[in-house]
DNA sequence: CTGAAAGCGCTTACAG
DNA sequence: CTGAAAGCGCTTACAG
């Protein structure tokens, strides 16, 4: 009875425990023959590694975390997810070093590179990097590649160019767009006019959101897509644009696929269109929740940012503890929320929290 | 550097490791003085238990699982969640014994009691019991109480009478009702007529769903609630009732708060009301998904059954490994899904899956 | 390349 | 009630 352990594998294969370990973890310093003997024994006995025992025995995994000090609205939820999972994995000997840089500053590139270099000195095993676009940080990522440091990028705009030497975690932007369109189709009578607001039309995930939104509308043939605007995530700008949009068109619904939702909602209220023009927003910022509670926003497509942060940490854990390979990219599915389905503060991140199992 | 261990606590307190363990786990066989010395040392050193090490050292936790062999539509998702989490915790020395009974049979009570007795012989530490109402199984639950076996109940209708000797995991039914009402408010013009279908008006969670639905409608003052029907989860009955409802009323939307959604959708189609009368359904049964894909059902309120199963197992794990106390009841928040936001098969249970971290 | 030993941080009998 | 020892199933240096 009881579980098969490496001890039994070693006996069956006629080698020592250390040799079994090398065969199992793919380390060097083992002969072809020994390795084969071990693998045969594993197969024969049906051995499965106990990773709990493994993480007690191995050295600590040090993960470097480079996150923005600014742009709280968007990044704080990702950072919460990272911190949540790092804390959860303390008993598994996962340690972290955190450095911050100002992603919106002019010298963001330089600041980030500096962080990468300090992390290298700190002797971290891997790096989690939250940023907003690939091109700015190409040099930093190359530096990591030179030093053989694996990097997981979490954030937005990463799809623009998926680097060879890093893994990307991002929301399924195309799906976000489709969901938003479907909602407006349900909320509005046929032949209504809708518009979509993104941060920038030059960034892949925003392009994907527009594409998903537009594709769904064309497929269903219920609504008419009037226009796609760029807010540059600026509330003043989005407010002005919303006013212009309302003045010039008979607009019935707007998908605000990025930040600057406050400006949009303000314009909606100022023009007396609260509750008339249906708004579908993005994420769960304070502005968004406030406007949901006031019935200005009907629904929001949460980009599952908390879970994105959780997954980044967990991916490294699995890699270093179980040798799991990285995939190039992970597209996280968005979650739909309405006012009544919002989670209370105590349940915040419930899916990646209850589900993630505090002490496991 | 490095983490504080019980070794250091023992030295600080001037006692042995075994004594520290007794103090920390609340076991008997330790003097007041020793216990206090340990607690002082823990406080002083800031000691935190490493549960990973603990689960390697302790004896296995044996969990008995009593689940229905029938009523697949509803229970299979809970059972999947239980199985998922049991499998995830193998490395933590969590073992399971599963027995099945026919919840819809006439002698369900007798069958369940028989399962309880066999579980007791199996020497399980705790019991997970999936059932559909409290009163039928009172004797079985009393038996468990006599034998000092903790029971976690997962399913529906459990709130009817929350026993003293068990913990209940159930969906937040009131919240389900509110979400459904909110959706129909968004989908329909003001002053539209809506109805709600439940399985039975005599079961607390169904009463709660009606209450949530009705409360929200009254608060908003947008819709008119015509009627609440009992389907007894029978498709023939729900089909007939839907036809009658349509014939007698100008109905615009229906919240199908329980099974028998197939009958409702059939009647909707037969009467030529597909897409006209807006349907909000419950859960993610095959019938439900099929009708979502055909645009008969606009949205569904998923009762998070997979997660309920996961949580049942995890609750016991936390209890036995970390001494966590049980709460009387856990109300799991529902999740809103539309056709476009449905998860693909590969992502099934993503929240309690990705988030639950396969190998952690 | 290989094996024997020590150790990760706990829990569990068991002798006193 | 208390403590010393063994052990959970691995990984990690290190000597050969």
């Amino acid at each position: 009875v009881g579980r098969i352990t490496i001890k039994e594998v070693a006996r069956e294969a006629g080698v020592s425990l250390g040799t079994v370990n090398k065969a199992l973890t793919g380390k060097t310093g083992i002969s072809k023959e020994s390795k084969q003997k071990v693998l045969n024994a594993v197969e024969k006995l049906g051995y499965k590694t106990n990773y709990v025992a493994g993480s007690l025995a191995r050295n600590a995994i040090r993960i470097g975390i480079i996150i923005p000090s600014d742009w709280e609205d968007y990044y704080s939820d990702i950072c919460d997810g990272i911190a949540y999972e790092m804390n959860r994995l303390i008993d598994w000997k996962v340690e972290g070093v955190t450095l911050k840089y100002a992603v919106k500053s002019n010298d963001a590139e330089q600041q980030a590179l500096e962080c990468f270099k300090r992390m290298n000195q700190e002797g971290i095993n891997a790096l989690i990097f939250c940023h907003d676009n690939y091109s700015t940080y190409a040099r930093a990522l190359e530096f990591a590649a030179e030093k053989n440091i694996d990097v997981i990028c979490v954030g937005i705009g990463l799809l623009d160019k998926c680097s060879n030497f890093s893994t990307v975690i991002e929301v399924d932007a195309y799906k976000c767009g489709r969901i938003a369109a479907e909602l407006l189709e349900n909320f509005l009578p046929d032949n209504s006019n809708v518009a979509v607001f993104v941060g920038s039309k030059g960034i892949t995930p925003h392009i994907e959101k527009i594409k998903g939104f537009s594709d769904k509308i064309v497929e269903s043939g219920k609504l008419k897509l009037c226009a796609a605007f760029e807010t540059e995530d600026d509330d003043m700008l989005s407010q002005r644009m919303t006013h212009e949009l309302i003045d010039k068109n008979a607009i019935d619904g707007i998908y605000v696929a990025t930040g600057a939702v406050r400006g949009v909602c303000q314009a909606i209220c100022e023009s007396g269109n609260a509750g008339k023009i249906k708004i579908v927003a993005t994420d769960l910022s304070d502005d968004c929740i406030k406007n949901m509670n006031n019935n200005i926003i009907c629904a929001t497509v949460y980009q599952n940012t908390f879970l994105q942060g959780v997954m980044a940490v967990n991916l490294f854990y699995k890699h270093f503890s179980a040798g799991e390979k990285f995939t190039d990219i992970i597209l996280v599915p968005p979650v739909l929320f309405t006012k009544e389905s919002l989670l209370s503060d105590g349940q915040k991140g419930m899916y990646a929290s209850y589900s993630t199992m505090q002490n496991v």
Side-chain angles (χ1 to χ4, degrees), chain A residues 7 40 50 53 65 102 135 146 221 232 240 247 267 316 341 350:
Chain A
K7 216 165 158 182
N40 290 151
N50 183 330
I65 300 163
S135 52
E146 279 163 28
E232 294 168 25
R240 188 149 27 90
D247 288 347
F316 273 139
S341 72
M350 176 133 184

Side-chain angles (χ1 to χ4, degrees), chain A residues 16 34 111 121 125 127 135 147 177 195 217 259 279 297-298 308-309 318 332 336 340 352-353:
Chain A
S16 71
S34 294
Q111 281 188 45
Q121 286 161 13
N125 300 309
L127 216 45
S135 52
K147 302 293 180 186
I217 285 177
I279 310 288
I297 294 174
C298 299
Q308 288 182 42
K318 280 188 192 157
V332 176
L336 180 54
E340 293 295 338
S353 144

Side-chain angles (χ1 to χ4, degrees), chain A residues 3 58 67 152 184 198 207 236 256 286 299:
Chain A
R3 172 160 197 153
R58 67 167 156 65
I67 54 179
I152 292 181
L184 289 174
V198 294
I207 296 171
M236 299 287 271
V256 185
D286 291 343

Side-chain angles (χ1 to χ4, degrees), chain A residues 61-82:
Chain A
I61 301 169
R62 274 172 74 80
I63 299 182
I65 300 163
I66 301 178
I67 54 179
S69 53
D70 48 357
W71 204 348
E72 287 254 322
D73 245 27
Y74 181 73
Y75 282 105
S76 67
D77 200 47
I78 295 182
C79 294
D80 286 352
I82 292 173

Side-chain angles (χ1 to χ4, degrees), chain A residues 16 26 32 63 82 98 121 133 155 179 219 226 242 257-258 280 320 352 360:
Chain A
S16 71
K32 287 254 181 224
I63 299 182
I82 292 173
T98 302
Q121 286 161 13
N133 74 83
I179 294 171
E219 279 175 32
C226 297
T242 306
T258 181
V280 172
F320 287 108
V360 182

Side-chain angles (χ1 to χ4, degrees), chain A residues 197 234-240 242-243 259-270 287 291:
Chain A
F197 284 26
D234 180 322
D235 281 307
M236 299 287 271
L237 188 57
S238 70
Q239 186 181 5
R240 188 149 27 90
T242 306
H243 271 300
V261 74
R262 187 175 49 200
V264 175
C265 291
Q266 238 170 308
I268 293 287
C269 290
E270 286 162 0
D287 280 331
N291 281 295

Side-chain angles (χ1 to χ4, degrees), chain A residues 93-113:
Chain A
K93 288 198 189 163
V94 175
E95 301 174 354
V97 192
T98 302
L99 292 176
K100 298 191 176 186
Y101 73 109
V103 70
K104 285 196 168 179
S105 72
N106 287 330
D107 66 334
E109 176 176 7
Q110 194 52 42
Q111 281 188 45
L113 184 57

